[in-house]
Amino acid sequence: MKIKVKVPASTANLGAGFDTLGIALSLYNEIYLEESDKDEIITIPKIEEFENPENNLFFKVFKETLKANGENERKFKVKQIVNIPVSRGLGSSASVIVAGIVAGHRVLNKELSDEDFFKIAYKFENHPDNLLPAFKGGFITALKEGEETYYQKLYFPDELKFIVVIPDLELSTEEARKVLPKTIPLKDAVFNLQRVALFISALQNKNFDLLKVAMEDKLHQPYREKLIPNFYKVITNAYREGALGVSLSGAGSSIVAISNRNFEKIGEAMKEALSEVGINSECKILEIDKKGVQIEEL
Ligand code: HSE
C-alpha cells in the first residue's frame, strides 16, 4: 500500500483570538508513505535534521499511532515534501502531527474519531487552534479543557485572501510564549473579548471595515513585538496599501494580512518594512483551505 497525505498550513490567533481562533491555508505539506524493510525518510527540500526517523516528528507521531493500536514491528519508507516553513507561526508541526495520526489510522484500516485524534495529538502539541484547522480545514474556534476539546467551524467569506509575509527568522512557539506575562489586566482581557466577538460577526455580516479594529490585540502581540524587528511598521505598511486586517500569524514570526484587493502591493509593502531592518522575507498569497487533511491511496 502506498499512500499520500496532504495537510494544510494554518494561521492561529488572528489578532484578538489568542489561543482560540485558527484558519487553514492553501499551503500544504505532503507525505508519501509505503511499507518497507526498514524505516527511512527523505525530505524535499532536504532538511538534514528531519531525515532521522528517530527524531522526525511525522515518524514519531505515526509510530505512536501504530503503537497505541498494538503494531510495533512494521517499517516504512517516507517522503516528506516540506512546503510549510518551519518555526514561522504557520502550523508546520500541527500539519505533520495530523498527517502522522491520519496516515497511522489508514495503515491500520481504522476509523479515526475526534477522541482518538486528540488523545495522540496532545502528546505532541497542545494547540487545538493549529491542530484543528490542519485536521478539519476552514475557520475554527477551539478550546481545550483538561482532556476535553470543544470546537466549532465558523463562516469565512471566500473573497478574502491572506497575504502571508514570512521573515527569514525562525521563532519557536515555546520561545514566543516565554515572553508573555503570567497575568494581564482585566481591561486587556475585555479589550480582546470585545474584538474577537466583533471579528467573527464582522466576517459573518461581511462588514469588512470592522476587521482593522477587530484584529487589535493586547494579550500577546505587544509582548512578542520585540522578537520581530519592525513588527508594527509591517502592520502600518499593510494598512497603507489597503489591507483590511493584519496580525501576527500564530506565535510568529510570519505576519498575515487579510484583504479583498491589492494583494501584491500589500505584500511588497510588508516585506519592505522588514528589509529596512535587514530581514529578508518571502510573501505568499493564500486562500482559506476548507478541506483539511486529505488522504489517498496511490
Ligand atoms: N496560539 C498559540 C500562540 C500558537 O500564540 O502561542 C498557535 O498554536
Side-chain angles (χ1 to χ4, degrees), residues 12-13 18-19 127 129-130 173 177 224 250-251:
N13 301 334
F18 176 63
D19 276 359
H127 300 296
D129 49 341
N130 277 126
T173 303
R177 288 185 89 84
R224 287 171 164 171

Side-chain angles (χ1 to χ4, degrees), residues 49-173:
E49 71 215 76
F50 287 3
E51 293 201 341
N52 176 356
E54 306 275 312
N55 296 330
N56 178 283
L57 183 59
F58 168 81
F59 237 103
K60 286 207 264 191
V61 178
F62 176 66
K63 286 293 178 116
E64 179 71 29
T65 307
L66 298 189
K67 207 170 86 192
N69 291 280
E71 292 263 9
N72 289 318
E73 304 303 328
R74 293 164 77 177
K75 309 277 182 220
F76 293 85
K77 184 174 163 187
V78 171
K79 181 165 82 177
Q80 188 174 344
I81 302 187
V82 184
N83 292 318
I84 306 173
V86 178
S87 298
R88 299 299 203 291
L90 291 169
S92 81
S93 37
S95 84
V96 166
I97 292 166
V98 168
I101 298 171
V102 169
H105 281 76
R106 177 57 65 99
V107 164
L108 294 161
N109 210 1
K110 186 171 181 257
E111 284 285 308
L112 175 58
S113 65
D114 281 4
E115 200 190 334
D116 290 341
F117 171 78
F118 289 119
K119 210 181 280 170
I120 300 173
Y122 288 148
K123 289 188 181 171
F124 296 92
E125 161 164 341
N126 250 322
H127 300 296
D129 49 341
N130 277 126
L131 287 168
L132 274 161
F135 185 29
K136 303 278 177 181
F139 175 27
I140 290 190
T141 183
L143 71 92
K144 178 177 185 280
E145 175 73 59
E147 292 308 299
E148 282 294 321
T149 303
Y150 303 90
Y151 69 94
Q152 286 287 288
K153 268 202 184 186
L154 301 164
Y155 171 74
F156 194 87
D158 287 328
E159 60 266 47
L160 299 184
K161 291 193 185 185
F162 301 86
I163 301 116
V164 182
V165 169
I166 307 157
D168 205 352
L169 180 75
E170 288 195 12
L171 188 55
S172 73
T173 303

